[in-house]
Amino acid sequence: MTMQNPTLDPGVDTLPLLDSPWSVRFAHGTRGRVALEVYNAGLLLDVLVAQPLAADLLRGARRTVSNGLSSVLAWGHLPPDGIPPAVELTRRHRAPYAAEPRIGAGVFWLALAQGSFDRVTATHRDGTSERLRVRAGWSR
């Protein structure tokens, strides 16, 4: 499952992500910086504010089941070069899945995939990578 638009921009109240319970909202944070809000079935899970330096490449990853379908949403800050990382989702004893990240508001990336995964790795083209455990969508 991939998102419909390669670039997502501020000005949309809430953007649902296909037929999933995930949605995002772009807003303006402090000092006029762009902010990304991540929701699962209307529950606010995370808020990222654009940071000029040393931002997390991989900020979060959550999973949920809706209408019998599992999905995972991962997100983070774009690196300074503006190219989204390679995003790989894994599950024990299964082949990895390469999720296609989309750029949001020019400073964030999001990757949505259908399936049940327990780890996500984001790798920048310079070889640096960050890895997180995929948490339940409702957990804080």
Side-chain angles (χ1 to χ4, degrees), residues 9-70:
D9 292 311
V12 178
D13 286 338
T14 301
L15 179 67
L17 301 176
L18 293 179
D19 295 328
S20 75
W22 305 108
S23 62
V24 296
R25 180 176 178 269
F26 298 102
H28 290 285
T30 58
R31 298 185 190 129
R33 294 180 293 175
V34 177
L36 168 71
E37 298 173 352
V38 179
Y39 294 87
N40 178 8
L43 175 67
L44 179 64
L45 298 176
D46 197 9
V47 176
L48 279 76
V49 177
Q51 298 178 5
L53 301 172
D56 297 325
L57 180 65
L58 174 59
R59 167 65 181 239
R62 301 293 178 101
R63 69 176 174 266
T64 194
V65 177
S66 178
N67 298 324
L69 296 174
S70 298

Side-chain angles (χ1 to χ4, degrees), residues 11-140:
V12 178
D13 286 338
T14 301
L15 179 67
L17 301 176
L18 293 179
D19 295 328
S20 75
W22 305 108
S23 62
V24 296
R25 180 176 178 269
F26 298 102
H28 290 285
T30 58
R31 298 185 190 129
R33 294 180 293 175
V34 177
L36 168 71
E37 298 173 352
V38 179
Y39 294 87
N40 178 8
L43 175 67
L44 179 64
L45 298 176
D46 197 9
V47 176
L48 279 76
V49 177
Q51 298 178 5
L53 301 172
D56 297 325
L57 180 65
L58 174 59
R59 167 65 181 239
R62 301 293 178 101
R63 69 176 174 266
T64 194
V65 177
S66 178
N67 298 324
L69 296 174
S70 298
S71 65
V72 171
L73 180 67
W75 62 93
H77 290 95
L78 275 179
D81 64 9
I83 298 173
V87 178
E88 186 176 82
L89 298 164
T90 56
R91 184 175 177 187
R92 181 179 268 170
H93 307 298
R94 304 260 170 117
Y97 174 80
E100 185 179 343
R102 301 290 189 217
I103 296 173
V107 292
F108 306 110
W109 64 266
L110 302 111
L112 176 65
Q114 188 173 341
S116 180
F117 302 96
D118 56 16
R119 298 273 177 205
V120 62
T121 304
T123 305
H124 185 262
R125 67 183 184 157
D126 70 4
T128 60
S129 66
E130 296 181 18
R131 183 176 176 166
L132 287 176
R133 180 175 59 91
V134 177
R135 297 171 49 192
W138 47 266
S139 64
R140 293 267 180 190

